[in-house]
């Protein structure tokens, strides 16, 4: 999973190594589960020595926590960038949300293994990194909440909407629809899936009366 910003100076090599470890870990854990994946396998898949894993991460659990932070950080940055760009170009808050939906779909299409892991972990309550998961989940929903609040303040959205629940529902809509797309309808294009979700977002499912 690529970093959202280019590393500089002496951090370049270490950042490249960590990227390899993220890629190896997310692929292996998606294939066979967290418990069944060993540090040896992660190192082998990444093409590094086992000691390199422990040099960068204290344990497999720490690696996974950092993987969650890294992946969700990239997702959140892409959502905020899409919304901000849309508003700069003269779009409203509905347009910003629509741009976030597309950005989310694009991220999931690019990193399907990470998304599968993220969704699976959201339903678990016995992991040592549960608190980390709640923090990174909050990052994503907060980005959408900001747009919803802007829309309420400008009068574009009903001021009676439940901002936090609506944001969570939008995240869930994109995640579930995208995973269904990737798993069961891969012949569909990103444009197709985005168009369907855009209609839901803009309340155009029932048609005109």
């Amino acid at each position: 999973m690529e970093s959202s910003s280019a590393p500089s100076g002496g951090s370049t090599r270490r950042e490249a190594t960590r990227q390899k470890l993220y890629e190896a870990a997310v692929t292996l854990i998606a294939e066979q589960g967290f418990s069944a994946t060993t540090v040896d396998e992660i190192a082998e898949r990444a093409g590094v020595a086992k000691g390199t894993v422990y040099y960068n991460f204290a344990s497999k659990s720490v690696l996974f926590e950092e993987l969650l932070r890294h992946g969700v950080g990239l997702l959140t940055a892409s959502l905020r960038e899409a919304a901000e760009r849309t508003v700069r170009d003269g779009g409203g808050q509905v347009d910003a949300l629509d741009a976030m939906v597309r950005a989310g779909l694009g991220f999931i299409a690019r990193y399907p293994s990470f998304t599968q892991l993220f969704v699976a972990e959201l339903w678990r309550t016995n992991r040592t990194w549960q608190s980390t998961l709640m923090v990174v989940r909050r990052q994503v929903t907060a980005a959408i909440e900001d747009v919803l609040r802007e829309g309420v303040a400008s009068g574009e959205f009903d001021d009676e909407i439940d901002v936090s629940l609506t944001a969570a529902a939008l995240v869930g809509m994109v995640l579930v629809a995208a995973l269904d797309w990737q798993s069961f309808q891969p012949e569909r294009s990103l444009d197709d899936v985005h168009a369907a979700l855009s209609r839901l977002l803009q309340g155009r499912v029932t048609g005109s009366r």
Side-chain angles (χ1 to χ4, degrees):
M1 302 180 69
E2 297 176 359
S3 175
S4 57
S5 61
S8 60
S11 67
T12 302
R13 181 176 298 177
R14 187 178 185 191
E15 184 63 24
T17 299
R18 290 168 74 93
Q19 295 287 352
K20 289 181 182 178
L21 292 171
Y22 287 141
E23 292 283 359
V26 74
T27 303
L28 285 166
I29 295 171
E31 289 174 355
Q32 56 195 34
F34 177 82
S35 297
T37 299
T38 67
V39 171
D40 287 313
E41 289 173 319
I42 293 172
E44 182 180 358
R45 181 69 66 93
V48 301
K50 182 177 179 178
T52 301
V53 180
Y54 289 114
Y55 175 75
N56 285 275
F57 305 99
S59 66
K60 185 176 70 170
S61 291
V62 170
L63 168 56
F64 190 72
E65 284 191 68
E66 289 302 312
L67 173 61
L68 288 173
R69 291 181 185 276
H70 178 71
V72 172
L74 292 179
L75 171 58
T76 304
S78 69
L79 296 180
R80 289 193 181 279
E81 181 183 352
E84 290 167 4
R85 183 174 60 249
T86 299
V87 172
R88 284 198 306 269
D89 291 343
Q93 299 306 315
V94 170
D95 299 317
L97 288 177
D98 190 55
M100 294 176 100
V101 167
R102 187 177 182 88
L105 291 172
F107 177 90
I108 293 166
R110 188 173 186 183
Y111 302 117
S113 294
F114 174 80
T115 306
Q116 290 168 14
L117 284 181
F118 181 59
V119 172
E121 292 302 317
L122 283 174
W123 292 98
R124 301 182 193 275
T125 58
N126 61 341
R127 300 296 205 190
T128 59
W129 51 78
Q130 188 66 23
S131 60
T132 296
L133 188 62
M134 294 301 99
V135 169
V136 296
R137 172 197 170 276
R138 179 65 187 148
Q139 281 184 255
V140 179
T141 56
I144 297 174
E145 287 176 16
D146 287 346
V147 175
L148 290 171
R149 290 192 183 94
E150 286 290 335
V152 170
S154 66
E156 192 171 347
F157 300 147
D158 191 323
D159 61 6
E160 293 186 359
I161 67 169
D162 186 317
V163 170
S164 62
L165 189 57
T166 300
L170 287 171
V171 171
M173 176 183 75
V174 173
L175 287 175
V176 173
L179 289 177
D180 185 88
W181 163 40
Q182 295 285 304
S183 300
F184 304 113
Q185 304 182 66
E187 72 282 358
R188 289 185 178 274
S189 68
L190 190 152
D191 287 339
D192 286 341
V193 181
H194 174 234
L197 297 189
S198 183
R199 291 187 184 94
L200 284 172
L201 176 65
Q202 299 183 41
R204 292 186 284 118
V205 176
T206 57
S208 58
R209 290 175 179 254

